[in-house]
Amino acid sequence: MIGKIFRRLNSEWEKLVKKKMPFWFYKSGFFAGLYYTFFNKGFRRELKSVLAGKVDHLRNSQDEHANYFMLVRNTHRLEKGLIMRPRKPVFAANYISETTNSYIGVMSNGAVQADPKQIKWFTDVLDEYFSVVDSHPVIDVEKERYQSFRVKSDIEQSLESSSTPYERNWDSFADISFEEFYKLNRQRRSVRWFLDKPVPRDLIDKAISAAIQAPSACNRQPFTYRVFDDPQLVSKAVNFPMGTKGYAHSIQTFIVVVGHLDAYFDERDRHLIYIDASLANMSLMLALETLGLSSCPINWPDIEEREVLMSKFLDLKEYDRPVMCIGVGYPDPEGKVPFSEKRSLEKIRVYN
C-alpha cells in the first residue's frame, strides 16, 4: 500500500514538473535557469560537457600554448584577412601572438592532431601573412618568433602548389547538372534493410573523404567518425540509440558521429558540433549512394542512461557528445523505404 501511494505521488510530481511548471518559468531567463537547476535535469550533461570543453580549451591555450583548434581557427581567420577587398595593411594584431604560440606549441608537441597537409597549410598561410602585412610593434615581434621556429613539413617538398587563398578555377569544376544532383538527393532515402554483405572499408573511407570537404565554422571540424564493422561490436552499438528496433540486425556498418566541445573557447559556439557534423553527414550519405551503398541516419536522443552507455562504449571524454548515428550497408533490393513526402517549396521557403 505504501509503495503504491509513493508511486502515485511520484507520478503526480512528474506531471507537475513536466506539464505545469514550464508555464510558470518560461517567460524569464532567470526563472528558466531555476527550473532547469532544481526541477529538470534535461540540460545537466550539456552544461557539464560545455564547461569541460571550455576548461580543456583554456588549459591547452593558456598553460601549454598548444591548442590545435585555436591554431586552425586563427589560421582560417588569417585567410579571411588575406582575401579582403581591399586588404588592410595591418590586421590580426590582436590575435597573432596566440596564433604564433599555438603554432610553436602544436608543432613542438609532435602535431598529434594535425597531418602533414595541415601543417603545410598553417605554415603557408603564416608565411603569406607575414610577407604582406605592414610593420607593427606586435606583429614584428611575432614574425621574428615565427621565422626562427618555422617548421618545414615533409610534404612541403612534394607539393608545388601553395596552401594559401586562391582564385577558383572553373576548368576544374565537376561536370554535374542540377538535374543529376537533384536525382541523387531523391535517390537517397533512409534504408533500413541491408544485404548480409560486409562493407569494404575503402568505400567508407572514400565517403568520409568527401564528407570532410563540407564547410565548418573556422575550419575546426569538431567531430570524429567512429566506425564499427566488427559484427559483435555492431550488434551491441546499434541498440544504444532509439529507433533501431526491428531492423538493427540488418545494419552492417555502424557509425557514431562524436562532437568535441573542447574545440571552443566560449559557450556561444556549443551548437556548432551539431551544425558542422550535420553538414558533413549529408555529404557522407550522398557519397555512399554514389558508391552503391545506402544509409539510415539515426537520431541520438539526449537521454542520460543512453549517454552513459555510449560514453562507456566509446570511452569518451567529458567534453565529447554523440551527435548522431548512421547505419550503412548494401541495400536489399526487396526492402522497402517509407515514402516520406517532403514539405513543398512554397511551405518551406520565404524570401525577404
Side-chain angles (χ1 to χ4, degrees), residues 144-210:
E144 184 175 346
R145 289 182 64 215
Y146 166 73
Q147 291 181 338
S148 65
F149 179 86
R150 184 186 182 280
V151 168
K152 199 174 187 66
S153 66
D154 295 336
I155 206 167
E156 191 172 358
Q157 302 297 326
S158 59
L159 293 180
E160 294 181 1
S161 60
S162 173
S163 301
T164 51
Y166 61 95
E167 295 178 357
R168 302 184 77 197
N169 183 0
W170 291 88
D171 294 334
S172 64
F173 282 12
D175 186 18
I176 302 174
S177 67
F178 168 78
E179 287 72 22
E180 286 299 305
F181 181 68
Y182 182 77
K183 183 179 178 181
L184 175 63
N185 279 268
R186 289 278 297 178
Q187 171 185 320
R188 190 229 58 85
R189 286 296 182 263
S190 295
V191 170
R192 292 172 173 83
W193 307 110
F194 303 103
L195 298 176
D196 186 13
K197 179 181 177 182
V199 177
R201 288 185 174 183
D202 67 303
L203 297 187
I204 295 294
D205 286 348
K206 281 185 176 181
I208 293 177
S209 295

Side-chain angles (χ1 to χ4, degrees), residues 203-213 225 227 255 284 287-288:
L203 297 187
I204 295 294
D205 286 348
K206 281 185 176 181
I208 293 177
S209 295
I212 59 179
Q213 301 306 313
Y225 287 107
V227 183
I255 301 174
L284 172 68
L288 289 169

Side-chain angles (χ1 to χ4, degrees), residues 61-325:
S61 304
Q62 298 174 356
D63 299 340
E64 301 177 18
H65 298 298
N67 193 313
Y68 163 79
F69 287 113
M70 178 181 287
L71 179 57
V72 171
R73 175 176 182 257
N74 284 0
T75 302
H76 183 63
R77 294 168 78 187
L78 291 176
E79 285 187 308
K80 291 191 290 184
L82 290 170
I83 67 170
M84 285 296 109
R85 302 170 65 180
R87 184 173 64 209
K88 293 182 179 179
V90 173
F91 63 95
N94 61 328
Y95 63 86
I96 191 58
S97 295
E98 67 180 21
T99 307
T100 308
N101 285 339
S102 293
Y103 179 84
I104 294 173
V106 169
M107 298 304 121
S108 298
N109 282 279
V112 292
Q113 290 177 285
D115 60 32
K117 288 185 178 180
Q118 275 201 313
I119 295 173
K120 183 178 187 301
W121 172 57
F122 299 144
T123 305
D124 284 358
V125 171
L126 281 165
D127 283 349
E128 179 75 6
Y129 168 75
F130 283 122
S131 70
V132 301
V133 72
D134 284 0
S135 179
H136 180 279
V138 173
I139 296 174
D140 292 345
V141 171
E142 297 307 319
K143 180 178 182 179
E144 184 175 346
R145 289 182 64 215
Y146 166 73
Q147 291 181 338
S148 65
F149 179 86
R150 184 186 182 280
V151 168
K152 199 174 187 66
S153 66
D154 295 336
I155 206 167
E156 191 172 358
Q157 302 297 326
S158 59
L159 293 180
E160 294 181 1
S161 60
S162 173
S163 301
T164 51
Y166 61 95
E167 295 178 357
R168 302 184 77 197
N169 183 0
W170 291 88
D171 294 334
S172 64
F173 282 12
D175 186 18
I176 302 174
S177 67
F178 168 78
E179 287 72 22
E180 286 299 305
F181 181 68
Y182 182 77
K183 183 179 178 181
L184 175 63
N185 279 268
R186 289 278 297 178
Q187 171 185 320
R188 190 229 58 85
R189 286 296 182 263
S190 295
V191 170
R192 292 172 173 83
W193 307 110
F194 303 103
L195 298 176
D196 186 13
K197 179 181 177 182
V199 177
R201 288 185 174 183
D202 67 303
L203 297 187
I204 295 294
D205 286 348
K206 281 185 176 181
I208 293 177
S209 295
I212 59 179
Q213 301 306 313
S216 170
C218 288
N219 197 39
R220 280 170 288 196
Q221 297 180 294
F223 51 84
T224 300
Y225 287 107
R226 300 289 296 274
V227 183
F228 296 93
D229 55 11
D230 179 286
Q232 290 186 333
L233 294 176
V234 171
S235 66
K236 185 175 183 179
V238 292
N239 293 308
F240 292 148
M242 299 174 70
T244 61
K245 188 176 181 179
Y247 73 94
H249 64 281
S250 179
I251 296 173
Q252 300 297 303
T253 295
F254 191 72
I255 301 174
V256 183
V257 188
V258 179
H260 308 300
L261 285 163
D262 61 325
Y264 310 110
F265 66 93
D266 194 271
E267 293 81 1
R268 71 185 190 192
D269 289 332
R270 66 188 182 278
H271 296 138
L272 289 178
I273 58 172
Y274 305 103
I275 297 171
D276 289 0
S278 296
L279 287 168
N281 293 342
M282 191 68 245
S283 293
L284 172 68
M285 291 184 285
L286 291 174
L288 289 169
E289 289 290 328
T290 70
L291 297 168
L293 296 164
S294 288
S295 62
C296 182
I298 303 166
N299 177 41
W300 180 254
D302 192 347
I303 298 175
E304 183 60 22
E305 294 81 4
R306 295 177 184 271
E307 291 273 357
V308 171
L309 289 172
M310 186 67 87
S311 294
K312 289 182 177 179
F313 181 71
L314 299 177
D315 191 24
L316 298 181
K317 303 288 188 181
E318 288 185 317
Y319 47 75
D320 294 335
R321 298 298 307 276
V323 172
M324 66 181 289
C325 304

Side-chain angles (χ1 to χ4, degrees), residues 29-71:
F30 174 75
F31 286 113
L34 291 179
Y35 174 74
Y36 283 110
T37 298
F38 296 106
F39 304 109
N40 190 313
K41 300 178 182 178
F43 286 100
R44 192 159 296 180
R45 178 171 285 266
E46 181 182 30
L47 292 172
K48 184 179 180 182
S49 298
V50 170
L51 195 56
K54 181 173 184 175
V55 167
D56 193 75
H57 189 96
L58 291 171
R59 182 184 294 118
N60 289 335
S61 304
Q62 298 174 356
D63 299 340
E64 301 177 18
H65 298 298
N67 193 313
Y68 163 79
F69 287 113
M70 178 181 287
L71 179 57

